[in-house]
Amino acid sequence: MKRSDEPVYWLLFGAGGVVAAVLLPVLILITGILVPLGILNADTLSYEKMHALATSWLGAPILLAVIALPIYHAMHRVYHGLHDLGIHPTKFLHYLLYGFAFLVSVAALTLLIQIH
Amino acid sequence: MDISQSKRKPYVRQVKKSWWLRNSFYTGYMLREGTCLFVGAYTVILLCGLLRLSQGPEAFAGWLHALHSPLAILFHLVALVACLFHAKTWFSLAPKAVRLFKGAELMPEKPIIMAQYIGLAAVSVIVLLIAILA
């Protein structure tokens, strides 16, 4: 029998859960609420600052983690949540949802490598 | 496990799609699971920002401008609430998922849960300070 690949997804799900719980609230607050409402200066998310963040050795892995891990977390929950709604797991659904998470992660990694 | 190889034909009891609305515990569970939609959507928004960032200052300004629409702000407000609700359930789940022992005694849940809230507060303050001061 083939070994289950579930532990890999569970690990990504768990790591994504931690990032979603600890880091995403403050990021959503800054990028989605405080800056758009003008409570924080628009300069907070200026091109220069964000570019410096995305090209730095510390910033790039953080950005990758903040995008790649929560998307695995979300797709894992959608996959199992659909089951709770009567849409039962199939190979197709598995490839579709985890494939999407994989695509988002690879896109983030590629962009971070490309950016100068 | 590959279920397509199995010859089993288990009986699956039919369940109404609204089963989780009849019991508040199950409703909370489904709401918690539902928060992942906002988490997923936000990562896609961040990815769009990264794509626009890689395309230059003008493209990135367009992404920033899009965040100013009332609909975007409303989405982020709901996403923030969803994320905090997810955090609350995640923190209370942690001591059940990872059982820590102190000697032969199981560590009490309360301090572990509190420590995580302190972690959330500390990380939030640090990120906010970096955003304001950097």
PDB file of all heavy atoms in Angstrom, chain B residues 60-94:
ATOM      1  N   PHE B  60       2.040  48.905  -8.948  1.00  0.00           N
ATOM      2  CA  PHE B  60       1.851  48.748  -7.508  1.00  0.00           C
ATOM      3  C   PHE B  60       0.902  49.814  -6.958  1.00  0.00           C
ATOM      4  O   PHE B  60       0.067  49.529  -6.094  1.00  0.00           O
ATOM      5  CB  PHE B  60       3.203  48.795  -6.781  1.00  0.00           C
ATOM      6  CG  PHE B  60       3.085  48.471  -5.316  1.00  0.00           C
ATOM      7  CD1 PHE B  60       2.760  47.189  -4.895  1.00  0.00           C
ATOM      8  CD2 PHE B  60       3.274  49.455  -4.348  1.00  0.00           C
ATOM      9  CE1 PHE B  60       2.629  46.886  -3.549  1.00  0.00           C
ATOM     10  CE2 PHE B  60       3.155  49.156  -2.989  1.00  0.00           C
ATOM     11  CZ  PHE B  60       2.833  47.874  -2.597  1.00  0.00           C
ATOM     12  N   ALA B  61       1.009  51.036  -7.503  1.00  0.00           N
ATOM     13  CA  ALA B  61       0.089  52.102  -7.083  1.00  0.00           C
ATOM     14  C   ALA B  61      -1.346  51.715  -7.407  1.00  0.00           C
ATOM     15  O   ALA B  61      -2.269  52.038  -6.642  1.00  0.00           O
ATOM     16  CB  ALA B  61       0.467  53.407  -7.770  1.00  0.00           C
ATOM     17  N   GLY B  62      -1.547  51.014  -8.518  1.00  0.00           N
ATOM     18  CA  GLY B  62      -2.885  50.552  -8.895  1.00  0.00           C
ATOM     19  C   GLY B  62      -3.442  49.571  -7.867  1.00  0.00           C
ATOM     20  O   GLY B  62      -4.615  49.650  -7.499  1.00  0.00           O
ATOM     21  N   TRP B  63      -2.574  48.668  -7.394  1.00  0.00           N
ATOM     22  CA  TRP B  63      -2.997  47.697  -6.369  1.00  0.00           C
ATOM     23  C   TRP B  63      -3.375  48.431  -5.083  1.00  0.00           C
ATOM     24  O   TRP B  63      -4.406  48.151  -4.476  1.00  0.00           O
ATOM     25  CB  TRP B  63      -1.856  46.713  -6.107  1.00  0.00           C
ATOM     26  CG  TRP B  63      -2.179  45.667  -5.077  1.00  0.00           C
ATOM     27  CD1 TRP B  63      -2.983  44.580  -5.243  1.00  0.00           C
ATOM     28  CD2 TRP B  63      -1.713  45.620  -3.723  1.00  0.00           C
ATOM     29  NE1 TRP B  63      -3.042  43.859  -4.064  1.00  0.00           N
ATOM     30  CE2 TRP B  63      -2.273  44.458  -3.120  1.00  0.00           C
ATOM     31  CE3 TRP B  63      -0.866  46.425  -2.952  1.00  0.00           C
ATOM     32  CZ2 TRP B  63      -2.013  44.098  -1.799  1.00  0.00           C
ATOM     33  CZ3 TRP B  63      -0.612  46.070  -1.624  1.00  0.00           C
ATOM     34  CH2 TRP B  63      -1.181  44.912  -1.073  1.00  0.00           C
ATOM     35  N   LEU B  64      -2.525  49.398  -4.695  1.00  0.00           N
ATOM     36  CA  LEU B  64      -2.809  50.172  -3.479  1.00  0.00           C
ATOM     37  C   LEU B  64      -4.123  50.924  -3.615  1.00  0.00           C
ATOM     38  O   LEU B  64      -4.913  50.998  -2.682  1.00  0.00           O
ATOM     39  CB  LEU B  64      -1.672  51.178  -3.232  1.00  0.00           C
ATOM     40  CG  LEU B  64      -0.508  50.714  -2.370  1.00  0.00           C
ATOM     41  CD1 LEU B  64       0.453  51.868  -2.128  1.00  0.00           C
ATOM     42  CD2 LEU B  64      -0.992  50.154  -1.040  1.00  0.00           C
ATOM     43  N   HIS B  65      -4.340  51.465  -4.825  1.00  0.00           N
ATOM     44  CA  HIS B  65      -5.570  52.221  -5.064  1.00  0.00           C
ATOM     45  C   HIS B  65      -6.791  51.308  -4.934  1.00  0.00           C
ATOM     46  O   HIS B  65      -7.817  51.708  -4.372  1.00  0.00           O
ATOM     47  CB  HIS B  65      -5.531  52.873  -6.445  1.00  0.00           C
ATOM     48  CG  HIS B  65      -6.728  53.710  -6.733  1.00  0.00           C
ATOM     49  ND1 HIS B  65      -6.934  54.938  -6.154  1.00  0.00           N
ATOM     50  CD2 HIS B  65      -7.823  53.460  -7.507  1.00  0.00           C
ATOM     51  CE1 HIS B  65      -8.092  55.425  -6.556  1.00  0.00           C
ATOM     52  NE2 HIS B  65      -8.657  54.551  -7.385  1.00  0.00           N
ATOM     53  N   ALA B  66      -6.678  50.084  -5.457  1.00  0.00           N
ATOM     54  CA  ALA B  66      -7.795  49.143  -5.396  1.00  0.00           C
ATOM     55  C   ALA B  66      -8.185  48.833  -3.951  1.00  0.00           C
ATOM     56  O   ALA B  66      -9.358  48.597  -3.646  1.00  0.00           O
ATOM     57  CB  ALA B  66      -7.436  47.859  -6.141  1.00  0.00           C
ATOM     58  N   LEU B  67      -7.201  48.859  -3.042  1.00  0.00           N
ATOM     59  CA  LEU B  67      -7.492  48.584  -1.624  1.00  0.00           C
ATOM     60  C   LEU B  67      -8.348  49.678  -0.992  1.00  0.00           C
ATOM     61  O   LEU B  67      -8.933  49.468   0.064  1.00  0.00           O
ATOM     62  CB  LEU B  67      -6.178  48.463  -0.832  1.00  0.00           C
ATOM     63  CG  LEU B  67      -5.309  47.237  -1.103  1.00  0.00           C
ATOM     64  CD1 LEU B  67      -4.046  47.296  -0.255  1.00  0.00           C
ATOM     65  CD2 LEU B  67      -6.064  45.948  -0.794  1.00  0.00           C
ATOM     66  N   HIS B  68      -8.420  50.862  -1.655  1.00  0.00           N
ATOM     67  CA  HIS B  68      -9.164  51.987  -1.089  1.00  0.00           C
ATOM     68  C   HIS B  68     -10.658  51.914  -1.361  1.00  0.00           C
ATOM     69  O   HIS B  68     -11.410  52.717  -0.821  1.00  0.00           O
ATOM     70  CB  HIS B  68      -8.611  53.316  -1.636  1.00  0.00           C
ATOM     71  CG  HIS B  68      -7.338  53.740  -0.967  1.00  0.00           C
ATOM     72  ND1 HIS B  68      -6.154  53.067  -1.143  1.00  0.00           N
ATOM     73  CD2 HIS B  68      -7.068  54.761  -0.108  1.00  0.00           C
ATOM     74  CE1 HIS B  68      -5.212  53.659  -0.428  1.00  0.00           C
ATOM     75  NE2 HIS B  68      -5.740  54.690   0.215  1.00  0.00           N
ATOM     76  N   SER B  69     -11.105  51.013  -2.213  1.00  0.00           N
ATOM     77  CA  SER B  69     -12.538  50.971  -2.526  1.00  0.00           C
ATOM     78  C   SER B  69     -13.321  50.529  -1.287  1.00  0.00           C
ATOM     79  O   SER B  69     -12.838  49.721  -0.493  1.00  0.00           O
ATOM     80  CB  SER B  69     -12.800  50.030  -3.694  1.00  0.00           C
ATOM     81  OG  SER B  69     -13.041  48.720  -3.231  1.00  0.00           O
ATOM     82  N   PRO B  70     -14.525  51.082  -1.100  1.00  0.00           N
ATOM     83  CA  PRO B  70     -15.329  50.734   0.086  1.00  0.00           C
ATOM     84  C   PRO B  70     -15.548  49.228   0.196  1.00  0.00           C
ATOM     85  O   PRO B  70     -15.529  48.666   1.299  1.00  0.00           O
ATOM     86  CB  PRO B  70     -16.659  51.453  -0.174  1.00  0.00           C
ATOM     87  CG  PRO B  70     -16.342  52.541  -1.127  1.00  0.00           C
ATOM     88  CD  PRO B  70     -15.194  52.064  -1.955  1.00  0.00           C
ATOM     89  N   LEU B  71     -15.714  48.574  -0.946  1.00  0.00           N
ATOM     90  CA  LEU B  71     -15.944  47.126  -0.937  1.00  0.00           C
ATOM     91  C   LEU B  71     -14.716  46.384  -0.401  1.00  0.00           C
ATOM     92  O   LEU B  71     -14.843  45.426   0.368  1.00  0.00           O
ATOM     93  CB  LEU B  71     -16.266  46.663  -2.364  1.00  0.00           C
ATOM     94  CG  LEU B  71     -17.234  45.495  -2.472  1.00  0.00           C
ATOM     95  CD1 LEU B  71     -18.600  45.883  -1.928  1.00  0.00           C
ATOM     96  CD2 LEU B  71     -17.347  45.025  -3.916  1.00  0.00           C
ATOM     97  N   ALA B  72     -13.532  46.868  -0.808  1.00  0.00           N
ATOM     98  CA  ALA B  72     -12.288  46.246  -0.349  1.00  0.00           C
ATOM     99  C   ALA B  72     -12.137  46.426   1.160  1.00  0.00           C
ATOM    100  O   ALA B  72     -11.761  45.496   1.876  1.00  0.00           O
ATOM    101  CB  ALA B  72     -11.095  46.855  -1.082  1.00  0.00           C
ATOM    102  N   ILE B  73     -12.459  47.647   1.644  1.00  0.00           N
ATOM    103  CA  ILE B  73     -12.333  47.923   3.081  1.00  0.00           C
ATOM    104  C   ILE B  73     -13.318  47.049   3.856  1.00  0.00           C
ATOM    105  O   ILE B  73     -12.971  46.453   4.889  1.00  0.00           O
ATOM    106  CB  ILE B  73     -12.563  49.422   3.370  1.00  0.00           C
ATOM    107  CG1 ILE B  73     -11.423  50.236   2.732  1.00  0.00           C
ATOM    108  CG2 ILE B  73     -12.617  49.678   4.872  1.00  0.00           C
ATOM    109  CD1 ILE B  73     -11.608  51.727   2.823  1.00  0.00           C
ATOM    110  N   LEU B  74     -14.549  46.922   3.335  1.00  0.00           N
ATOM    111  CA  LEU B  74     -15.556  46.071   3.985  1.00  0.00           C
ATOM    112  C   LEU B  74     -15.067  44.627   4.038  1.00  0.00           C
ATOM    113  O   LEU B  74     -15.164  43.957   5.071  1.00  0.00           O
ATOM    114  CB  LEU B  74     -16.880  46.164   3.217  1.00  0.00           C
ATOM    115  CG  LEU B  74     -18.048  45.392   3.832  1.00  0.00           C
ATOM    116  CD1 LEU B  74     -18.477  46.038   5.149  1.00  0.00           C
ATOM    117  CD2 LEU B  74     -19.228  45.325   2.867  1.00  0.00           C
ATOM    118  N   PHE B  75     -14.521  44.158   2.906  1.00  0.00           N
ATOM    119  CA  PHE B  75     -13.997  42.788   2.875  1.00  0.00           C
ATOM    120  C   PHE B  75     -12.937  42.594   3.951  1.00  0.00           C
ATOM    121  O   PHE B  75     -12.944  41.595   4.680  1.00  0.00           O
ATOM    122  CB  PHE B  75     -13.395  42.460   1.501  1.00  0.00           C
ATOM    123  CG  PHE B  75     -12.551  41.209   1.529  1.00  0.00           C
ATOM    124  CD1 PHE B  75     -13.141  39.959   1.446  1.00  0.00           C
ATOM    125  CD2 PHE B  75     -11.167  41.281   1.705  1.00  0.00           C
ATOM    126  CE1 PHE B  75     -12.374  38.811   1.522  1.00  0.00           C
ATOM    127  CE2 PHE B  75     -10.393  40.131   1.783  1.00  0.00           C
ATOM    128  CZ  PHE B  75     -10.999  38.891   1.682  1.00  0.00           C
ATOM    129  N   HIS B  76     -12.022  43.554   4.064  1.00  0.00           N
ATOM    130  CA  HIS B  76     -10.927  43.403   5.022  1.00  0.00           C
ATOM    131  C   HIS B  76     -11.428  43.460   6.467  1.00  0.00           C
ATOM    132  O   HIS B  76     -10.867  42.800   7.340  1.00  0.00           O
ATOM    133  CB  HIS B  76      -9.840  44.450   4.765  1.00  0.00           C
ATOM    134  CG  HIS B  76      -8.976  44.114   3.587  1.00  0.00           C
ATOM    135  ND1 HIS B  76      -9.222  44.580   2.316  1.00  0.00           N
ATOM    136  CD2 HIS B  76      -7.896  43.306   3.470  1.00  0.00           C
ATOM    137  CE1 HIS B  76      -8.327  44.093   1.487  1.00  0.00           C
ATOM    138  NE2 HIS B  76      -7.501  43.310   2.152  1.00  0.00           N
ATOM    139  N   LEU B  77     -12.473  44.268   6.709  1.00  0.00           N
ATOM    140  CA  LEU B  77     -13.053  44.302   8.057  1.00  0.00           C
ATOM    141  C   LEU B  77     -13.614  42.925   8.417  1.00  0.00           C
ATOM    142  O   LEU B  77     -13.358  42.407   9.507  1.00  0.00           O
ATOM    143  CB  LEU B  77     -14.171  45.357   8.127  1.00  0.00           C
ATOM    144  CG  LEU B  77     -13.713  46.802   8.352  1.00  0.00           C
ATOM    145  CD1 LEU B  77     -14.884  47.763   8.167  1.00  0.00           C
ATOM    146  CD2 LEU B  77     -13.116  46.961   9.743  1.00  0.00           C
ATOM    147  N   VAL B  78     -14.369  42.329   7.489  1.00  0.00           N
ATOM    148  CA  VAL B  78     -14.943  41.002   7.749  1.00  0.00           C
ATOM    149  C   VAL B  78     -13.820  39.975   7.876  1.00  0.00           C
ATOM    150  O   VAL B  78     -13.850  39.095   8.750  1.00  0.00           O
ATOM    151  CB  VAL B  78     -15.930  40.611   6.624  1.00  0.00           C
ATOM    152  CG1 VAL B  78     -16.513  39.223   6.892  1.00  0.00           C
ATOM    153  CG2 VAL B  78     -17.047  41.630   6.509  1.00  0.00           C
ATOM    154  N   ALA B  79     -12.802  40.100   7.011  1.00  0.00           N
ATOM    155  CA  ALA B  79     -11.673  39.165   7.044  1.00  0.00           C
ATOM    156  C   ALA B  79     -10.936  39.253   8.373  1.00  0.00           C
ATOM    157  O   ALA B  79     -10.481  38.235   8.906  1.00  0.00           O
ATOM    158  CB  ALA B  79     -10.721  39.444   5.887  1.00  0.00           C
ATOM    159  N   LEU B  80     -10.838  40.479   8.911  1.00  0.00           N
ATOM    160  CA  LEU B  80     -10.153  40.653  10.201  1.00  0.00           C
ATOM    161  C   LEU B  80     -10.922  39.935  11.310  1.00  0.00           C
ATOM    162  O   LEU B  80     -10.333  39.206  12.122  1.00  0.00           O
ATOM    163  CB  LEU B  80     -10.024  42.151  10.522  1.00  0.00           C
ATOM    164  CG  LEU B  80      -9.368  42.485  11.864  1.00  0.00           C
ATOM    165  CD1 LEU B  80      -7.928  41.996  11.908  1.00  0.00           C
ATOM    166  CD2 LEU B  80      -9.414  43.983  12.152  1.00  0.00           C
ATOM    167  N   VAL B  81     -12.246  40.121  11.323  1.00  0.00           N
ATOM    168  CA  VAL B  81     -13.073  39.445  12.334  1.00  0.00           C
ATOM    169  C   VAL B  81     -12.954  37.925  12.169  1.00  0.00           C
ATOM    170  O   VAL B  81     -12.779  37.185  13.146  1.00  0.00           O
ATOM    171  CB  VAL B  81     -14.551  39.899  12.212  1.00  0.00           C
ATOM    172  CG1 VAL B  81     -15.434  39.076  13.152  1.00  0.00           C
ATOM    173  CG2 VAL B  81     -14.678  41.378  12.527  1.00  0.00           C
ATOM    174  N   ALA B  82     -13.020  37.453  10.923  1.00  0.00           N
ATOM    175  CA  ALA B  82     -12.919  36.017  10.642  1.00  0.00           C
ATOM    176  C   ALA B  82     -11.584  35.468  11.138  1.00  0.00           C
ATOM    177  O   ALA B  82     -11.511  34.398  11.741  1.00  0.00           O
ATOM    178  CB  ALA B  82     -13.086  35.762   9.148  1.00  0.00           C
ATOM    179  N   CYS B  83     -10.524  36.239  10.883  1.00  0.00           N
ATOM    180  CA  CYS B  83      -9.177  35.804  11.254  1.00  0.00           C
ATOM    181  C   CYS B  83      -9.022  35.754  12.776  1.00  0.00           C
ATOM    182  O   CYS B  83      -8.378  34.843  13.304  1.00  0.00           O
ATOM    183  CB  CYS B  83      -8.163  36.774  10.660  1.00  0.00           C
ATOM    184  SG  CYS B  83      -6.936  35.959   9.674  1.00  0.00           S
ATOM    185  N   LEU B  84      -9.608  36.734  13.458  1.00  0.00           N
ATOM    186  CA  LEU B  84      -9.515  36.745  14.918  1.00  0.00           C
ATOM    187  C   LEU B  84     -10.318  35.592  15.510  1.00  0.00           C
ATOM    188  O   LEU B  84      -9.908  34.975  16.502  1.00  0.00           O
ATOM    189  CB  LEU B  84      -9.992  38.094  15.471  1.00  0.00           C
ATOM    190  CG  LEU B  84      -9.022  39.248  15.234  1.00  0.00           C
ATOM    191  CD1 LEU B  84      -9.632  40.583  15.651  1.00  0.00           C
ATOM    192  CD2 LEU B  84      -7.708  39.027  15.992  1.00  0.00           C
ATOM    193  N   PHE B  85     -11.468  35.285  14.891  1.00  0.00           N
ATOM    194  CA  PHE B  85     -12.274  34.145  15.357  1.00  0.00           C
ATOM    195  C   PHE B  85     -11.497  32.843  15.129  1.00  0.00           C
ATOM    196  O   PHE B  85     -11.465  31.963  15.996  1.00  0.00           O
ATOM    197  CB  PHE B  85     -13.616  34.122  14.617  1.00  0.00           C
ATOM    198  CG  PHE B  85     -14.497  32.973  15.018  1.00  0.00           C
ATOM    199  CD1 PHE B  85     -14.879  32.809  16.343  1.00  0.00           C
ATOM    200  CD2 PHE B  85     -14.938  32.044  14.081  1.00  0.00           C
ATOM    201  CE1 PHE B  85     -15.680  31.748  16.729  1.00  0.00           C
ATOM    202  CE2 PHE B  85     -15.737  30.974  14.454  1.00  0.00           C
ATOM    203  CZ  PHE B  85     -16.111  30.826  15.780  1.00  0.00           C
ATOM    204  N   HIS B  86     -10.856  32.743  13.965  1.00  0.00           N
ATOM    205  CA  HIS B  86     -10.024  31.575  13.702  1.00  0.00           C
ATOM    206  C   HIS B  86      -8.913  31.459  14.739  1.00  0.00           C
ATOM    207  O   HIS B  86      -8.635  30.373  15.258  1.00  0.00           O
ATOM    208  CB  HIS B  86      -9.424  31.643  12.297  1.00  0.00           C
ATOM    209  CG  HIS B  86      -8.277  30.692  12.114  1.00  0.00           C
ATOM    210  ND1 HIS B  86      -6.969  31.109  12.183  1.00  0.00           N
ATOM    211  CD2 HIS B  86      -8.240  29.357  11.926  1.00  0.00           C
ATOM    212  CE1 HIS B  86      -6.182  30.054  12.025  1.00  0.00           C
ATOM    213  NE2 HIS B  86      -6.916  28.987  11.863  1.00  0.00           N
ATOM    214  N   ALA B  87      -8.301  32.613  15.073  1.00  0.00           N
ATOM    215  CA  ALA B  87      -7.207  32.613  16.050  1.00  0.00           C
ATOM    216  C   ALA B  87      -7.706  32.115  17.404  1.00  0.00           C
ATOM    217  O   ALA B  87      -7.060  31.286  18.048  1.00  0.00           O
ATOM    218  CB  ALA B  87      -6.616  34.018  16.172  1.00  0.00           C
ATOM    219  N   LYS B  88      -8.887  32.593  17.819  1.00  0.00           N
ATOM    220  CA  LYS B  88      -9.463  32.193  19.111  1.00  0.00           C
ATOM    221  C   LYS B  88      -9.638  30.674  19.164  1.00  0.00           C
ATOM    222  O   LYS B  88      -9.222  30.022  20.130  1.00  0.00           O
ATOM    223  CB  LYS B  88     -10.807  32.885  19.307  1.00  0.00           C
ATOM    224  CG  LYS B  88     -11.547  32.458  20.560  1.00  0.00           C
ATOM    225  CD  LYS B  88     -12.973  32.996  20.545  1.00  0.00           C
ATOM    226  CE  LYS B  88     -13.790  32.422  21.681  1.00  0.00           C
ATOM    227  NZ  LYS B  88     -14.166  31.017  21.463  1.00  0.00           N
ATOM    228  N   THR B  89     -10.211  30.102  18.105  1.00  0.00           N
ATOM    229  CA  THR B  89     -10.446  28.652  18.099  1.00  0.00           C
ATOM    230  C   THR B  89      -9.121  27.897  17.981  1.00  0.00           C
ATOM    231  O   THR B  89      -8.953  26.833  18.564  1.00  0.00           O
ATOM    232  CB  THR B  89     -11.363  28.247  16.935  1.00  0.00           C
ATOM    233  OG1 THR B  89     -10.762  28.631  15.701  1.00  0.00           O
ATOM    234  CG2 THR B  89     -12.719  28.891  17.057  1.00  0.00           C
ATOM    235  N   TRP B  90      -8.185  28.463  17.220  1.00  0.00           N
ATOM    236  CA  TRP B  90      -6.882  27.810  17.030  1.00  0.00           C
ATOM    237  C   TRP B  90      -6.128  27.730  18.350  1.00  0.00           C
ATOM    238  O   TRP B  90      -5.505  26.708  18.677  1.00  0.00           O
ATOM    239  CB  TRP B  90      -6.094  28.590  15.983  1.00  0.00           C
ATOM    240  CG  TRP B  90      -4.854  27.901  15.518  1.00  0.00           C
ATOM    241  CD1 TRP B  90      -3.578  28.124  15.940  1.00  0.00           C
ATOM    242  CD2 TRP B  90      -4.772  26.857  14.532  1.00  0.00           C
ATOM    243  NE1 TRP B  90      -2.703  27.298  15.279  1.00  0.00           N
ATOM    244  CE2 TRP B  90      -3.409  26.511  14.417  1.00  0.00           C
ATOM    245  CE3 TRP B  90      -5.712  26.187  13.746  1.00  0.00           C
ATOM    246  CZ2 TRP B  90      -2.962  25.524  13.540  1.00  0.00           C
ATOM    247  CZ3 TRP B  90      -5.262  25.215  12.877  1.00  0.00           C
ATOM    248  CH2 TRP B  90      -3.911  24.883  12.782  1.00  0.00           C
ATOM    249  N   PHE B  91      -6.190  28.831  19.119  1.00  0.00           N
ATOM    250  CA  PHE B  91      -5.477  28.871  20.392  1.00  0.00           C
ATOM    251  C   PHE B  91      -6.067  27.869  21.382  1.00  0.00           C
ATOM    252  O   PHE B  91      -5.339  27.197  22.117  1.00  0.00           O
ATOM    253  CB  PHE B  91      -5.522  30.280  20.997  1.00  0.00           C
ATOM    254  CG  PHE B  91      -4.754  31.300  20.207  1.00  0.00           C
ATOM    255  CD1 PHE B  91      -4.982  32.658  20.376  1.00  0.00           C
ATOM    256  CD2 PHE B  91      -3.798  30.905  19.273  1.00  0.00           C
ATOM    257  CE1 PHE B  91      -4.273  33.592  19.642  1.00  0.00           C
ATOM    258  CE2 PHE B  91      -3.088  31.837  18.529  1.00  0.00           C
ATOM    259  CZ  PHE B  91      -3.327  33.191  18.713  1.00  0.00           C
ATOM    260  N   SER B  92      -7.409  27.783  21.416  1.00  0.00           N
ATOM    261  CA  SER B  92      -8.024  26.880  22.398  1.00  0.00           C
ATOM    262  C   SER B  92      -7.857  25.425  21.977  1.00  0.00           C
ATOM    263  O   SER B  92      -7.985  24.514  22.791  1.00  0.00           O
ATOM    264  CB  SER B  92      -9.501  27.231  22.595  1.00  0.00           C
ATOM    265  OG  SER B  92     -10.170  27.179  21.372  1.00  0.00           O
ATOM    266  N   LEU B  93      -7.557  25.212  20.707  1.00  0.00           N
ATOM    267  CA  LEU B  93      -7.362  23.847  20.206  1.00  0.00           C
ATOM    268  C   LEU B  93      -5.942  23.332  20.473  1.00  0.00           C
ATOM    269  O   LEU B  93      -5.744  22.130  20.668  1.00  0.00           O
ATOM    270  CB  LEU B  93      -7.614  23.871  18.698  1.00  0.00           C
ATOM    271  CG  LEU B  93      -7.766  22.579  17.935  1.00  0.00           C
ATOM    272  CD1 LEU B  93      -9.075  22.677  17.137  1.00  0.00           C
ATOM    273  CD2 LEU B  93      -6.634  22.370  16.949  1.00  0.00           C
ATOM    274  N   ALA B  94      -4.986  24.268  20.508  1.00  0.00           N
ATOM    275  CA  ALA B  94      -3.573  23.881  20.592  1.00  0.00           C
ATOM    276  C   ALA B  94      -3.254  22.924  21.748  1.00  0.00           C
ATOM    277  O   ALA B  94      -2.610  21.901  21.527  1.00  0.00           O
ATOM    278  CB  ALA B  94      -2.699  25.133  20.653  1.00  0.00           C
TER     279      ALA B  94
END
